[in-house]
Amino acid sequence: MSNYNSLNPQQKQAVFSTSQYLRIIAGAGSGKTRVLTLRLVHMIEDLGYLPHRLLAITFTNKAANEMKDRVETVLGDLGRQVWISTIHSLCVRILREDISYLDYPKNFTVIDGVDQRSILKQAYKEFEIDSKQFSYSAMLNYIGGNKGAEVTVERAYVLAGNHPGEKLKATVYEYYEKQLRKMYALDFDDLIIYVIKLFRANADVNQKWQKRFDGISVDEFQDIDHQQYELIRLLTNENTQLFVVGDPDQTIYTWRGADVNIIMDFEKRFKPTETIVLNQNYRSTKPILAGANALIKNNEYRVDKDLFTNNTSADKIIHLSFRNSEQEATWVASQIRTLVQDHQRYQDIAVLYRANYLSRALEKALNFSQIPYVIYGGIRFYERQEIKDTISFLRLLTVKDDLSFRRATQAVRRGIGNKTLEDVALLAAQKSLTMYEVCQQHMDYFSGRAQNALMKFMADLHTIETQAQDKSVPDIVGVVLDHSGIRQSLTEAKETERLENVKQLIGDAMSFVQLNPEADLNEYLQMVSLYGDTDVDATESVKLMTVHSAKGLEFETVFVIGMSEGIFPNERALMESGKRGMEEERRLAYVAMTRAKSKLYLTESSGFSFVANRVQQPSRFLDEIDEEYIIHKGVSNYGQIEEQVKTTIDDYNYQAKRVTQKHKYKTGDVVIHTVFGEGYVLSVEKVGIKIAFNHPFGIKTIATNHPSITLASKAEDPSSSKEYFDA
């Protein structure tokens, strides 16, 4: 039997409640994952529920894996029978079983963001669209938005009216949908849409899946959108126990469809609902938590809850104001160095920001100070070029779709150019075949070098197909690497890191097979397509990330930089959404603050922001934190702050470097500025360098050692540079 004695009263109430409909308002750091896990354990161990009739829905692979591990640790083999998955993985399982009711094959392909962009690139080429007119991201948002709102291609044309730009977007939407249908592929939006369509059109199928589950639990319920909610609703009947967990104060994804009203109005839709508030925080210290509480109380539309903690500390939140972003970044780097000298680990420190561009100055400062860091949310493992190339060959062993064919031909140099591929695609369209089938059945259509290159490629594919027969998934990956030319190409190019990545793919396949002994290549590729968690370097390093990326994480020390009006809160969010936008920005700040366990620094600078196009002022959120929980260090403290920066940077021989740069520039030098471009040095003074830039910038004085300027060359004759003086 499991031990529930360590649960607090509210957690016990949530675990043992017998209510059919249960809403848990789980504050930040309140142990919700533990509650979710132990409730499943209690239902199986104490109440006799069959584990395979319980469904737990999460929204990230990381969360799903963590819950699986916890349940299996307690229940062993019984725990492995519980349906614990992301909502997209659940949809794939449903569709693999019943999509045939929609006249779609069960071996459909799930495409990811990279594949989506490949389709758009083809569409842009065919319709002569410049990606500067409609970025791929904007077009995918348009397509996803239409799908989410159940706007068909036909309806999109109607809504476009006579507007040329909208009609062009509708044309791309139509092309995109036709390509998916042609490949028997679904994107992530389709997975949910198709299940909803399946259930609505087939009552018997819907009832079958409703009867399959006696209990459904949903994590992060504050972040679901209307389609996800509709899917959950369709999975329940009058006998289903529904257990949802979330925190309206942490709803930060409305820009991608999340609606805080869904969790707020849950008790109106499922009656009677029992609501339990988990308000004991186990993560943060009292000053941090009290400051975050004071901030979020300024939001009107929320479930009132006063989080408390027993973690005492004398360290208040510290707010620091700087003259510019460079000084702000330099201080953050110096303080990280101080923390590490006081025995804190790099990996326990995070720097959060509202937007990605804010990392620029910080990255320079960290590099200069030789502080290891990783940007959380960089290129994901399965999206790296060499991994995508290998996966394309693996897909050619199964579904043989056109996207994989195109990518595989370009994975290594083969002499197959765009013209040849377009000829293949054209013939495929004329004969209603895939590009693979055209090369298999109509090679006589081609001639010369194109024919030879295609024949060699198809021969390599045949070798791979032959060698891969009756082999395990890891061995198949090895066959592809050996006979596709990928391993040889990376080895010859001495691409050590990329070579290690493809080797890791074999290990990844091995791990998959160990966990799923009966799984085949199709199921492995399905897992790869669904995998969405960021591949983060686990070595000891400071973590840099947007606040959105920080959701669900925690660190001993957190720096939140860029706490200025127009940046945080974001001006565009306020302009577009007014009061609702302000409340979401405040929720975002609340999430940022509650990532910290023991130390929290909020920083901002007063320099001019080219992004916001304004002189920066401190964020209003800083004034909303009660004075008893925060220490403000502003202009009056600059001397002390600058001395601390100087002292710490001395440890990195900054002064020695500065001496060597003191006389780096001379009158007559030509320099390059990152914003103003090329300029001519008029004079070098103690306060800086006077430089004449091209029109319209004119003459400016730039700090001597500022990283924005670099030496280009020495002008032979100042009179030859007349354009510098025409400002």
Side-chain angles (χ1 to χ4, degrees):
M1 299 293 286
S2 298
N3 183 3
Y4 303 100
N5 292 332
S6 60
L7 297 175
N8 67 40
Q10 290 74 30
Q11 290 175 329
K12 285 182 179 179
Q13 187 182 356
V15 168
F16 297 125
S17 173
T18 57
S19 297
Q20 181 178 4
Y21 303 124
L22 186 59
R23 177 179 67 168
I24 306 300
I25 306 297
S30 61
K32 68 179 179 66
T33 304
R34 190 155 181 266
V35 168
L36 276 163
T37 301
L38 288 178
R39 182 171 172 83
L40 287 172
V41 171
H42 166 66
M43 293 176 76
I44 295 168
E45 273 193 342
D46 304 329
L47 303 182
Y49 280 83
L50 297 174
H52 68 273
R53 295 186 59 80
L54 297 178
L55 169 65
I57 298 173
T58 68
F59 284 83
T60 67
N61 287 295
K62 179 183 176 183
N65 290 333
E66 181 182 354
M67 192 178 297
K68 284 179 184 177
D69 289 342
R70 293 193 184 194
V71 172
E72 289 174 15
T73 298
V74 179
L75 296 178
D77 290 338
L78 279 178
R80 295 187 184 93
Q81 299 176 38
V82 181
W83 285 56
I84 301 176
S85 72
T86 65
I87 198 164
H88 292 103
S89 295
L90 171 66
C91 289
V92 168
R93 294 176 73 171
I94 294 172
L95 293 174
R96 292 285 182 212
E97 189 170 322
D98 289 319
I99 198 173
S100 56
Y101 284 92
L102 299 177
D103 296 323
Y104 221 76
K106 292 183 179 181
N107 65 336
F108 61 87
T109 300
V110 181
I111 67 169
D112 60 16
V114 176
D115 294 330
Q116 289 178 298
R117 281 170 169 75
S118 295
I119 295 174
L120 292 187
K121 286 178 182 177
Q122 296 169 34
Y124 280 27
K125 183 174 183 179
E126 180 167 331
F127 301 117
E128 299 182 344
I129 300 173
D130 190 339
S131 60
K132 293 180 180 178
Q133 180 183 6
F134 300 116
S135 71
Y136 296 134
S137 295
M139 187 63 75
L140 288 175
N141 286 338
Y142 166 80
I143 293 171
N146 277 336
K147 289 185 176 186
E150 300 185 33
V151 175
T152 63
V153 169
E154 294 74 21
R155 181 61 180 162
Y157 275 115
V158 173
L159 294 174
N162 294 320
H163 192 286
E166 293 302 309
K167 289 172 71 176
L168 193 57
K169 285 159 66 177
T171 301
V172 174
Y173 180 21
E174 180 179 22
Y175 178 93
Y176 177 87
E177 289 294 274
K178 284 183 177 178
Q179 287 299 109
L180 291 190
R181 188 75 190 186
K182 179 181 176 182
M183 298 185 300
Y184 296 114
L186 301 177
D187 61 24
F188 274 60
D189 292 323
D190 289 329
L191 293 175
I192 297 175
I193 291 168
Y194 270 60
V195 173
I196 292 174
K197 187 188 299 184
L198 172 69
F199 286 170
R200 286 176 176 172
N202 300 273
D204 291 344
V205 176
N206 188 14
Q207 289 172 13
K208 179 186 79 172
W209 284 95
Q210 287 177 342
K211 293 176 181 177
R212 188 163 292 187
F213 303 115
D214 296 322
I216 299 175
S217 63
V218 187
D219 193 11
E220 303 290 358
F221 196 70
Q222 79 280 350
D223 287 328
I224 71 168
D225 60 31
H226 287 278
Q227 284 193 329
Q228 292 164 345
Y229 169 76
E230 177 65 5
L231 172 61
I232 292 165
R233 189 190 67 79
L234 287 169
L235 282 169
T236 63
N237 60 23
E238 66 277 4
N239 298 314
T240 310
Q241 278 208 337
L242 184 57
F243 176 82
V244 301
V245 182
D247 182 6
D249 288 339
Q250 296 186 68
T251 300
I252 59 173
Y253 294 113
T254 59
W255 51 275
R256 69 183 189 193
D259 188 348
V260 70
N261 291 302
I262 293 174
I263 188 170
M264 294 291 288
D265 295 339
F266 181 83
E267 58 189 1
K268 297 177 183 177
R269 298 166 178 173
F270 292 91
K271 298 179 179 180
T273 289
E274 179 185 7
T275 296
I276 299 170
V277 177
L278 304 182
N279 62 347
Q280 182 171 357
N281 176 285
Y282 294 92
R283 177 187 300 154
S284 305
T285 62
K286 286 184 178 180
I288 293 173
L289 192 61
N293 283 340
L295 172 77
I296 200 63
K297 281 184 177 179
N298 288 276
N299 274 5
E300 294 180 10
Y301 193 52
R302 58 187 295 266
V303 175
D304 189 39
K305 62 181 186 303
D306 245 343
L307 288 185
F308 72 94
T309 182
N310 294 325
N311 300 332
T312 60
S313 174
D315 291 334
K316 294 185 178 183
I317 301 168
I318 296 179
H319 158 228
L320 302 107
S321 182
F322 299 91
R323 293 192 181 102
N324 53 56
S325 59
E326 281 72 26
Q327 188 187 54
E328 179 183 11
T330 301
W331 183 87
V332 170
S334 73
Q335 186 63 12
I336 289 173
R337 179 62 174 169
T338 300
L339 290 167
V340 171
Q341 288 172 343
D342 290 339
H343 308 295
Q344 187 160 139
R345 300 182 303 174
Y346 285 122
Q347 67 200 50
D348 294 329
I349 301 171
V351 184
L352 312 183
Y353 34 80
R354 177 61 180 83
N356 278 308
Y357 73 86
L358 293 169
S359 71
R360 177 192 60 83
L362 183 63
E363 288 188 66
K364 288 184 177 180
L366 294 176
N367 276 322
F368 185 81
S369 301
Q370 302 173 24
I371 294 174
Y373 70 90
V374 60
I375 297 182
Y376 189 99
I379 298 175
R380 296 169 178 159
F381 179 78
Y382 295 114
E383 291 181 0
R384 294 171 187 169
Q385 180 182 337
E386 60 276 12
I387 301 302
K388 292 290 293 181
D389 290 344
T390 308
I391 295 299
S392 68
F393 276 94
L394 294 174
R395 277 170 47 168
L396 284 178
L397 294 175
T398 55
V399 293
K400 296 178 170 52
D401 61 282
D402 288 355
L403 280 178
S404 298
F405 184 92
R406 285 177 179 273
R407 185 169 193 113
T409 61
Q410 305 302 303
V412 296
R413 288 182 178 273
R414 295 182 180 277
I416 301 175
N418 291 331
K419 176 65 169 59
T420 300
L421 286 176
E422 292 312 313
D423 289 342
V424 175
L426 180 62
L427 187 60
Q430 292 172 352
K431 295 185 175 297
S432 299
L433 298 172
T434 65
M435 295 174 73
Y436 176 91
E437 290 169 338
V438 163
C439 290
Q440 194 178 47
Q441 302 171 24
H442 299 282
M443 190 62 76
D444 57 338
Y445 177 85
F446 306 95
S447 61
R449 276 194 240 172
Q451 186 187 60
N452 291 335
L454 288 172
M455 287 177 67
K456 176 66 168 64
F457 176 69
M458 293 300 289
D460 288 345
L461 278 183
H462 178 70
T463 299
I464 292 172
E465 288 173 339
T466 302
Q467 294 288 330
Q469 285 182 4
D470 301 321
K471 282 189 167 57
S472 66
V473 176
D475 288 340
I476 293 173
V477 177
V479 168
V480 166
L481 292 176
D482 288 335
H483 296 281
S484 66
I486 292 175
R487 193 200 299 268
Q488 180 182 348
S489 175
L490 294 175
T491 302
E492 291 175 352
K494 297 182 179 179
E495 293 274 9
T496 305
E497 184 175 344
R498 297 177 63 197
L499 192 58
E500 290 174 349
N501 284 337
V502 295
K503 289 178 181 176
Q504 180 60 32
L505 188 64
I506 298 177
D508 179 67
M510 183 71 73
S511 299
F512 176 78
V513 169
Q514 288 173 348
L515 291 172
N516 306 274
E518 303 301 319
D520 59 13
L521 181 59
N522 262 318
E523 289 172 278
Y524 175 68
L525 292 174
Q526 174 185 309
M527 183 278 294
V528 170
S529 295
L530 289 172
Y531 189 89
D533 286 346
T534 305
D535 179 60
V536 179
D537 188 350
T539 59
E540 187 169 317
S541 57
V542 175
K543 303 300 186 293
L544 277 57
M545 66 190 79
T546 64
V547 181
H548 284 100
S549 297
K551 180 75 182 299
L553 304 177
E554 62 182 29
F555 303 91
E556 285 296 327
T557 298
V558 170
F559 297 84
V560 185
I561 65 173
M563 291 291 294
S564 301
E565 279 294 305
I567 296 175
F568 205 175
N570 180 271
E571 187 168 25
R572 185 174 61 182
L574 303 188
M575 291 177 64
E576 293 177 353
S577 304
K579 184 177 179 180
R580 286 187 299 125
M582 174 58 73
E583 293 217 343
E584 173 133 356
E585 289 295 299
R586 191 175 283 112
R587 291 195 293 266
L588 200 56
Y590 173 79
V591 167
M593 293 174 67
T594 53
R595 298 312 94 194
K597 297 171 72 173
S598 59
K599 294 182 184 297
L600 175 62
Y601 299 92
L602 309 176
T603 68
E604 43 85 16
S605 59
S606 57
F608 185 82
S609 168
F610 286 97
V611 177
N613 197 31
R614 62 194 288 181
V615 175
Q616 297 174 158
Q617 298 292 329
S619 169
R620 70 189 73 186
F621 295 154
L622 297 167
D623 292 329
E624 294 177 355
I625 301 172
D626 291 349
E627 290 296 322
E628 62 181 297
Y629 309 125
I630 189 169
I631 298 173
H632 299 279
K633 295 185 178 181
V635 176
S636 62
N637 300 94
Y638 271 139
Q640 177 185 348
I641 293 169
E642 287 175 340
E643 181 60 30
Q644 183 180 351
V645 172
K646 176 180 177 295
T647 301
T648 306
I649 294 180
D650 276 344
D651 295 337
Y652 296 106
N653 299 315
Y654 176 68
Q655 292 302 318
K657 293 183 180 181
R658 204 172 165 189
V659 168
T660 62
Q661 295 177 351
K662 186 173 183 180
H663 302 292
K664 181 177 179 180
Y665 305 105
K666 299 181 180 65
T667 300
D669 283 347
V670 175
V671 296
I672 303 294
H673 189 282
T674 54
V675 175
F676 307 131
E678 198 173 74
Y680 178 84
V681 177
L682 299 178
S683 62
V684 180
E685 304 168 6
K686 287 185 178 181
V687 295
I689 313 169
K690 185 173 287 187
I691 306 172
F693 293 100
N694 284 321
H695 182 78
F697 301 111
I699 297 173
K700 298 183 182 296
T701 300
I702 305 296
T704 307
N705 294 312
H706 198 276
S708 63
I709 55 172
T710 54
L711 185 65
S713 64
K714 186 170 289 188
E716 295 179 1
D717 180 6
S719 64
S720 67
S721 301
K722 179 180 179 297
E723 66 270 20
Y724 293 126
F725 300 93
D726 288 341

